[in-house]
Amino acid sequence: PVICAEDGKAKGVEALVRWQHPQMGLVRPDLFIPIAEESKLIVPLTNYIFEKALKDFANMKVESGFRVAFNVAPEHFTQDDIESKFIHLRDSLDRIGVKPLIEITERQLLTPDICQRIESLRQLGILVAIDDFGTGYSSLAYLRNFEVNTLKIDRSFLIDIATNTADQAIVSSIIELARNLKLNVVAEGIETVEQLEQVFSRGCYIIQGYYFAKPMCVDDFERYLETDNKIVSIDH
């Protein structure tokens, strides 16, 4: 879940994938996603996640404007049917008041053609976020070359933010940059109240991390929404 720390409510969710292997048990994505990429299976796997999310949210009650985020690899943007795929996703989710958001990481190699494809999707109403912001070599170039909606601060800057003044300065700069560009900003990997207070005091109120909720299956997430999250928000 992606949580607003001001009221403790889920404003969106990131669609993740896990592999339940018959012999190995639950396999983490960092182990099998690289294999899917090397085997040219990342596009069909992502398409499966799209369709699974549509089924999962078909009857789920969420507030209007709720966002479902998908991690999308560069290979997906080279597909001929990319626009029709996302139009289908957009229209299907729109019927239940949900908006799709694609997450790309600045560590990915995005050619000018791919950037143009991403911009065309944004023009169709697909929200775009830069994931792991600040960890690549082209952070500012990304923001100059095409428009996005959201920056997600990489958790590496937040692990020691309560005591590391360099991390505090970097996070403050990213939040201020997002504010000046009129972008949303999300803090990833928040696990402690000290981390939460650091980003909250700097004006970042949208949070993702174990402090609020761990990744969960769709049934648990639906129950999570029904309990109104039961989170005490941080005072201003």
Side-chain angles (χ1 to χ4, degrees):
V2 179
I3 307 296
C4 176
E6 292 180 292
D7 60 15
K9 293 183 180 295
K11 305 301 181 182
V13 69
E14 182 178 351
L16 304 176
V17 61
R18 299 290 187 268
W19 183 10
Q20 187 64 49
H21 192 279
Q23 285 82 40
M24 300 172 62
L26 197 64
V27 184
R28 302 194 315 268
D30 60 311
L31 297 177
F32 68 82
I33 291 294
I35 298 173
E37 291 173 336
E38 293 169 8
S39 306
K40 309 297 183 183
L41 293 173
I42 192 64
V43 171
L45 176 59
T46 305
N47 286 337
Y48 164 79
I49 296 170
F50 290 158
E51 295 304 318
K52 185 70 167 64
L54 290 179
K55 292 178 182 178
D56 287 345
F57 278 86
N59 299 307
M60 195 177 298
K61 296 179 180 179
V62 295
E63 294 183 2
S64 179
F66 191 90
R67 300 178 178 187
V68 180
F70 303 92
N71 295 285
V72 181
E75 293 88 340
H76 217 100
F77 299 112
T78 64
Q79 304 301 303
D80 292 335
D81 64 345
I82 183 69
E83 290 192 0
S84 61
K85 178 69 68 177
F86 276 97
I87 289 173
H88 168 65
L89 188 69
R90 179 200 65 189
D91 293 347
S92 299
L93 289 174
D94 186 61
R95 297 188 188 102
I96 55 173
V98 174
K99 293 184 177 297
L101 181 148
I102 57 176
E103 295 188 7
I104 55 176
T105 172
E106 59 180 340
R107 290 193 294 264
Q108 295 171 334
L109 179 60
L110 299 184
T111 65
D113 288 344
I114 291 177
C115 289
Q116 188 174 4
R117 275 287 183 91
I118 295 173
E119 175 58 22
S120 68
L121 293 177
R122 204 185 67 80
Q123 294 293 333
L124 291 171
I126 308 298
L127 302 175
V128 178
I130 298 181
D131 198 10
D132 304 333
F133 187 78
T135 57
Y137 297 103
S138 54
S139 304
L140 299 181
Y142 266 53
L143 298 180
R144 181 186 63 190
N145 292 336
F146 64 97
E147 294 185 38
V148 299
N149 304 98
T150 299
L151 303 182
K152 298 187 73 174
I153 305 172
D154 187 73
R155 68 184 303 274
S156 63
F157 298 117
L158 302 168
I159 295 173
D160 299 317
I161 190 172
T163 56
N164 188 310
T165 54
D167 285 341
Q168 292 171 7
I170 292 169
V171 170
S172 294
S173 297
I174 294 174
I175 294 172
E176 184 65 19
L177 175 65
R179 183 182 295 116
N180 290 336
L181 294 175
K182 296 180 173 56
L183 304 178
N184 297 316
V185 60
V186 178
E188 292 187 287
I190 298 296
E191 298 184 0
T192 68
V193 68
E194 290 80 12
Q195 293 170 335
L196 179 62
E197 289 171 342
Q198 286 286 335
V199 298
F200 196 92
S201 66
R202 287 169 168 76
C204 177
Y205 309 122
I206 307 300
I207 310 297
Q208 193 173 8
Y210 279 25
Y211 180 79
F212 286 127
K214 296 181 179 181
M216 63 188 79
C217 66
V218 66
D219 291 339
D220 290 339
F221 180 66
E222 198 160 12
R223 285 191 289 270
Y224 177 81
L225 291 177
E226 290 172 355
T227 58
D228 203 24
N229 312 154
K230 294 183 178 178
I231 295 170
V232 178
S233 61
I234 297 295
D235 293 331
H236 287 281

